[in-house]
Amino acid sequence: MTELRTHTRQSVDWWLIGTYLVLVVIGWLNIYAATHSSEPGSLLSWSSRAGKQFVWILSSLGLAGAILYLIPPRMWESGCIPFYVAVLGLLVLVIFVSSDVKGSHSWFNLGPIRFQPAEISKISTSLLLAYVMSQQNFRITRWKDFWTAVLIIGVPMLVIIGESETGSALVYAGFIFVLYREGLSGWWLGAIGLVIILFVGTLRWSAYWSVMLMTAMLLLCNTAEGPAHLRKGRLLYGGIFVLVMGAFPFVLRHVCNKVQAHMDFLSSRVWVPSAHETYHYTWSFLLDVNPLWVLLGLCGLALPLLAVWAWHQKDRFLAISLGVWLAGVALVSSTDYIFQHVLQPHQRSRIEVLLGLKEDPSGVGYNVLQSKIAIGSGGLFGKGFLQGTQTTFGFVPEQATDFIFCTVGEEWGFLGCLVVIGLYTFLITRLVLDAESCRGKFTRIYGYCVASCVFMHLFINVGMTIGLMPVIGIPLPLLSYGGSSLWAFTLLIFIFLSLYRNEKKYF
Amino acid sequence: MTGDRRHIRLLVGLGAAVLLLLGSIFSIQLLDDRYKQDADRNSTVYETIYPTRGAIFDRNGAVLVGNKVAYDILVSPREVKAFDTLALATALGVTPEFIRGKMDEYHRKRASIGFQAVTMMRMVPAETYLRFEEVKYKFPGFRGQSRGMREYPVNAGGNLLGYVSEVNQRYMELHPGEYRSGDYAGMTGIEAAREQDLRGEKGYHIYLRNARNQIEQPFKDGTMDKEAVPGKNITTTIDAQLQQYGQELMAGKVGSVVAIEPSTGEILALVSSPGIDVEQLADIGKHYNEIAKNPYKPMYNRAVQASYPPGSVFKLVNALIGMQEGVLRPEMRYPCSHGYHYGAGHKLGCHGHRSPIDMTESIMMSCNAYYCYVLKNIVDNRKYDSPADGLDHWNEYVKSFGFGRKLGSDFPAELAGSIPSSRTYNRSYGRGRWNSTTVISLSIGQGEILATPMHLANLCATIANRGHYYIPHIIKASEGIEIDPRFYEPQYTLVDTTHFPKVIRGMWLAVNAPAGAGGTARVAHVDSLDICGKTGTAQNPRGADNSVFICFAPKDNPKIALAAYVENGGFGAAYAAPIASLMAEKYLKGKTSRPELEKRMMESNLMDRVKHD
């Protein structure tokens, strides 16, 4: 694709810029509302955070202007590899030189300015991903190319996890949407969904029911996908498998209803056979058999049969499903181990609070409860600007940064939330549609990266304030207080605008 | 590859995610009220304004229970900084260990306490509080809150006034929504019976606060505040002087005295001994164990909660029933040879007196045999089919005097006593397998009869009124306080009023007959008072007989009716009659004329005669 700098017909996307500006101003006003009682001072005074945010906004606008009018758009594509490497270097460096901020080592302290390389890393990763994936011979369906993309995303992600900034790392999971757009099989999205469901289901309900849910889901996929003659057989054999497994506990309950202890595995959180060794079965030798082993035996018999049948029919989809099933069972079995040993205590307790496994209104639960109280007290129209009691009097923690959405919810009510979330939705949709309208793959992929980042931040942050997500400390783009985050999102969005404008010049 | 319009799918996914967020927000903000209430609680401080509790007066306007100020020490654990435990302990007059223990407890409960203030000490006296107030600035997080405390100017009626104490969990459950932890409520006696009037209504001042519990400003400029409504004053029917005098007379004895104004049913005095001193009432928490451990059970209000056999005073009831039934005429004479002989060698004994005697004399001299004949004639009355039938009619008469049931007084925890009926004996002997001789001890108020001293005082008032009584009560109607209309209704017995003067004549003679005539209650005689009385000596299976006496005075237009019951006091004339007559004299004349008797009563101690479990 050659560049022809002949036409300058199209200018920048002013709709996007307008949305950006409105969100930034909304953020500024809400920061003022959240802090005005503890930090007296006007909207513009440097001593208050609202005043500082004003300076960040002005400088961001300067940055935006520079990107649009000074920096040649081609530079982003040509310089993305050194940029990526440099940011990665900073990400590693910061672990060793940073001071400890609430347990994470992710901030550079440069005199009065603190900055988080993880924010910039989103940009460099997006650019490199767009660069690599826009190469002529790149095919995401090829394993080599797939792993290249995963590596580009995964390396900064792992380093950020190393900085104890798991929340920021989680945002990188959003790049899966980009890969999907560029041809990654939709089953990967399904697989990620399945992992989440199994993990939550095992913790929240029981291992048995998680496995049953997975089995049913796989059966459903198998009967919906593929040629008709295969689907019939899958439905028959898979259905028998599901019915036998599903009925097993009820048969067991009926046969030996005296031994309730045997039924514990239905409600036990984790499917660990050793947990049953402590029981004393004195009823009869028949009842001495652990029902779990019977169930495993049944599966052990059924799976090879299904596998042989899949091989016989050359049914690749069914074979993969069986593999996924086994992996799922392995995940369920190790959920407890992951939960207890891999996750850190604070992450564990956040998940426990989210899933309602633990009440902790003074600890982790305090933040979420106060946040929900603040938002919930807003009602339809809110209490009005500066009239909030929860957010202004400091009940909500981090009320100007990660929990800024509480102020929106309390003072502007449901209508305010609707407007703010609507603006984000417009922003993301506009980014996607603009990206779609591009001819150049680089700009398109980069646009999707930006949209994914904004979406992940929005969903995790707002989800956290209303108790849908665990407490993950990431800012709400453009609204939360903080120069680092505002600059990063300004760069992210305006680089796209610059590329997009450049793109349009072809026509 | 892009032909499958994946961006549409992604946008649909975005829409779903956004709807999920908005739906959750919608439910939190518009469907679920819980968070709004929490927000109010979070950001507003309700400073409770405690109303002053109503005072309790006696019938003459003297204060029985007033208020004085005490202080609660509150602490907001989250505001507390490191402090000098010893200095605070000294200021508050407690040990440093106490404070350390409390702070440890608050630390353990910090999750549930949150930003609230909790009460560390209650009812701290004013002196201690002032000492604390001087050094308060050194102890952020600690503050005092004034609180009315009960004060008792006279030591009268500890048992009937009752005590006020902090409500416990159970009490709050029984009165849902009315009390909060830390509130006080009347637990016994008048304090409990009139809790609704006495407590008043709590008020509050609302302030806005921040998360550090610092008060920011009055909420809506104080327009939402509510001032406390003070509790209503209660006027009792008690005569404080008489009550106190009765308590002094009963000192060292177990039993009770009830005094009633016959024309109204108002209780003038209700003494239960041993009782609770008002000093103990004021700080019941400190004395509770001591009171509970006392073997004589001072908490137990014997005047309404102890059921005793009434003894000979019950002869009056039998006489009245006999006359009403027509089986007894006052001029009828019956013989008595040291008792009533019945069956094969059975005898119900009597003391030595002349014989035969008529009804008036039988009351004066308290002859047992006479009433055996009376009861036999009542029960074996030919007009009834059987002794059982006769006894049931007798039962009906007796109950019309208020016996065997709760009188319906406004005093809580009144006992009913019991009056036997044919069913009682059918149960123990079998139907038709008993007769009048089986139940003969009922004639002299023994056996299966149980009555409280209040029942006896009511009997006395009924006789004084010549046939009716007003339900005894302890609260007088006064401004803002109404009493149940039933207290104004005269309650007539089933005995015609014409029969009463004949009995009263006997009672008058028992007290006022010349020496040597055989009056059993001459010790109760007071010149010009016209006291009419009847002694009783009730058997007590656990030692010496109980001394019983009922009397009213003056004979015409009586002003006071009394019943005194002294456990293990021996003859009615030994303790009960002197005490009741002294009280009558005190009430009617304002002073007493028999200092020696008074001294003997006040100083005598029968406690070692009393056997307790």
Side-chain angles (χ1 to χ4, degrees), chain B residues 397-513:
Chain B
Y397 278 112
V398 176
K399 284 201 168 154
S400 74
F401 283 83
F403 286 102
R405 57 186 171 86
K406 292 180 183 178
L407 284 167
S409 143
D410 53 1
F411 204 82
E414 197 190 348
L415 281 194
S418 75
I419 298 298
S421 68
S422 60
R423 286 179 59 199
T424 319
Y425 297 102
N426 285 344
R427 220 176 297 132
S428 11
Y429 297 98
R431 190 181 294 274
R433 303 186 62 176
W434 55 275
N435 57 31
S436 59
T437 54
T438 320
V439 303
I440 202 69
S441 45
L442 299 179
S443 63
I444 57 165
Q446 294 289 156
E448 289 76 11
I449 302 182
L450 289 174
T452 64
M454 177 79 96
H455 281 128
L456 300 184
N458 189 55
L459 167 67
C460 189
T462 311
I463 297 170
N465 284 340
R466 277 78 171 163
H468 67 272
Y469 66 92
Y470 293 91
I471 298 171
H473 53 280
I474 204 159
I475 309 293
K476 251 174 122 73
S478 58
E479 202 185 319
I481 301 288
E482 286 178 8
I483 62 171
D484 197 285
R486 71 173 189 273
F487 296 120
Y488 299 118
E489 293 286 325
Q491 313 283 322
Y492 283 91
T493 68
L494 296 174
V495 177
D496 291 344
T497 54
T498 50
H499 297 303
F500 284 85
K502 301 159 199 165
V503 169
I504 290 168
R505 173 76 190 156
M507 289 174 77
W508 186 85
L509 281 174
V511 179
N512 299 302

Side-chain angles (χ1 to χ4, degrees), chain A residues 221-393:
Chain A
C221 294
N222 271 287
T223 49
E225 182 83 19
H229 72 280
L230 288 180
R231 294 211 301 243
K232 219 172 166 184
R234 288 172 188 164
L235 181 63
L236 182 65
Y237 294 106
I240 292 171
F241 182 57
V242 168
L243 284 178
V244 170
M245 267 189 73
F248 178 73
F250 303 101
V251 173
L252 190 76
R253 178 169 293 176
H254 188 72
V255 170
C256 50
N257 54 353
K258 280 181 191 166
V259 192
Q260 277 301 306
H262 278 162
M263 302 309 301
D264 282 2
F265 81 101
L266 272 182
S267 53
S268 77
R269 225 173 54 164
V270 175
W271 197 354
V272 189
S274 63
H276 290 269
E277 288 172 3
T278 53
Y279 290 128
H280 304 289
Y281 306 124
T282 52
W283 295 90
S284 78
F285 75 96
L286 264 181
L287 300 177
D288 284 351
V289 180
N290 188 326
L292 193 68
W293 296 118
V294 180
L295 194 61
L296 287 179
L298 277 174
C299 296
L301 237 86
L303 282 179
L305 285 176
L306 279 170
V308 167
W309 190 73
W311 176 76
H312 181 71
Q313 296 286 316
K314 297 186 174 50
D315 188 346
R316 192 161 163 265
F317 193 83
L318 180 61
I320 292 174
S321 299
L322 291 176
V324 168
W325 191 87
L326 282 174
V329 170
L331 175 75
V332 164
S333 313
S334 55
T335 291
D336 198 48
Y337 181 82
I338 294 171
F339 192 64
Q340 298 295 339
H341 297 100
V342 178
L343 292 184
Q344 290 173 4
H346 70 277
Q347 294 167 337
R348 196 159 60 228
S349 65
R350 285 170 185 185
I351 291 172
E352 281 173 338
V353 167
L354 179 75
L355 297 182
L357 300 174
K358 192 171 85 174
E359 295 268 331
D360 186 12
S362 64
V364 178
Y366 176 81
N367 293 356
V368 179
L369 182 68
Q370 295 298 335
S371 160
K372 283 169 97 172
I373 289 173
I375 293 173
S377 66
L380 181 57
F381 299 107
K383 298 176 184 169
F385 186 50
L386 304 185
Q387 300 301 309
T389 53
Q390 303 300 297
T391 42
T392 55
F393 286 153

Side-chain angles (χ1 to χ4, degrees), chain A residues 180-184 370 372-373 375-377 379-380 389-390 393-395 409 413-414 425 436 448 455 466 468, chain B residues 1-2 6-7 9 14 17-18 22 24-26 28-30 35-36 38-39 42-43 115 209-211 216:
Chain A
Y180 171 74
R181 166 62 186 82
E182 294 305 315
L184 185 71
Q370 295 298 335
K372 283 169 97 172
I373 289 173
I375 293 173
S377 66
L380 181 57
T389 53
Q390 303 300 297
F393 286 153
F395 289 98
F414 182 68
T425 313
E436 278 299 324
Y448 267 96
F455 170 75
I466 56 180
L468 276 182
Chain B
M1 189 188 295
T2 53
R6 290 193 161 193
H7 70 285
R9 291 192 186 185
L14 169 72
V18 165
L22 285 175
S24 302
I25 296 170
F26 186 81
I28 291 176
Q29 290 192 313
L30 299 171
Y35 296 106
K36 272 171 230 34
D38 282 349
N42 235 349
S43 58
F115 292 100
R209 69 170 179 193
N210 62 19
E216 299 265 339

